[in-house]
Amino acid sequence: MYRIGIGYDIHKLIEGRDLIIGGVKITHEKGLLGHSDADVLIHALIDAMLGALALDDIGTLFPDTDSKYKDIDSTILLKRVYDLIKEKGYQIVNVDSNIIAQAPKMMPYIPKMKEILAHILEINPQDFSIKAKTKENLDAVGQKLAIEANAVILLQKQMKKMY
């Protein structure tokens, strides 16, 4: 049995914060505003994972009203949601994702993002796609006011081993 999920996230760029995307610190004069580290790629991925399991969204599972999630590293949240996938008897087949940012350029950081995220999710980096897109100077992302991401994940029910 297969299950698919999609996820989306957007965060405003502000001064005084580190820019963390896909678990990687990116050199930039601004970072993303959020209760946690505001990693848009991981947040989109988490929502895709939760959607595939037909569970609540990231904000319900990890509310911004809970101080224990203040400035938390989103890779920790990703691991917790991946543990839910395993508990429910699923494995990840593949992930497809986009980071949409006018600046900075994401391409130099994508190999490290794939390495980090594939390791956490126990999949081959070849089964994890991250693409970089711009908004051609349109809307808030195109005006360098925000960064957004989306993700799609395919899960497969694990077969029980027969001995």
Side-chain angles (χ1 to χ4, degrees), residues 33-51:
L33 177 63
H35 186 69
S36 67
D37 64 5
D39 188 323
V40 292
L41 180 59
I42 291 180
H43 293 184
L45 181 56
I46 288 172
D47 266 346
M49 294 162 71
L50 292 169

Side-chain angles (χ1 to χ4, degrees), residues 10-14 17-21 30-34 36-41 145-148:
I10 187 169
H11 284 277
K12 180 179 179 179
L13 281 163
I14 62 165
R17 296 251 318 180
D18 288 336
L19 180 59
I20 311 291
I21 299 179
K30 293 182 178 179
L32 295 170
L33 177 63
S36 67
D37 64 5
D39 188 323
V40 292
L41 180 59
L145 300 174
I147 294 177
E148 62 186 344

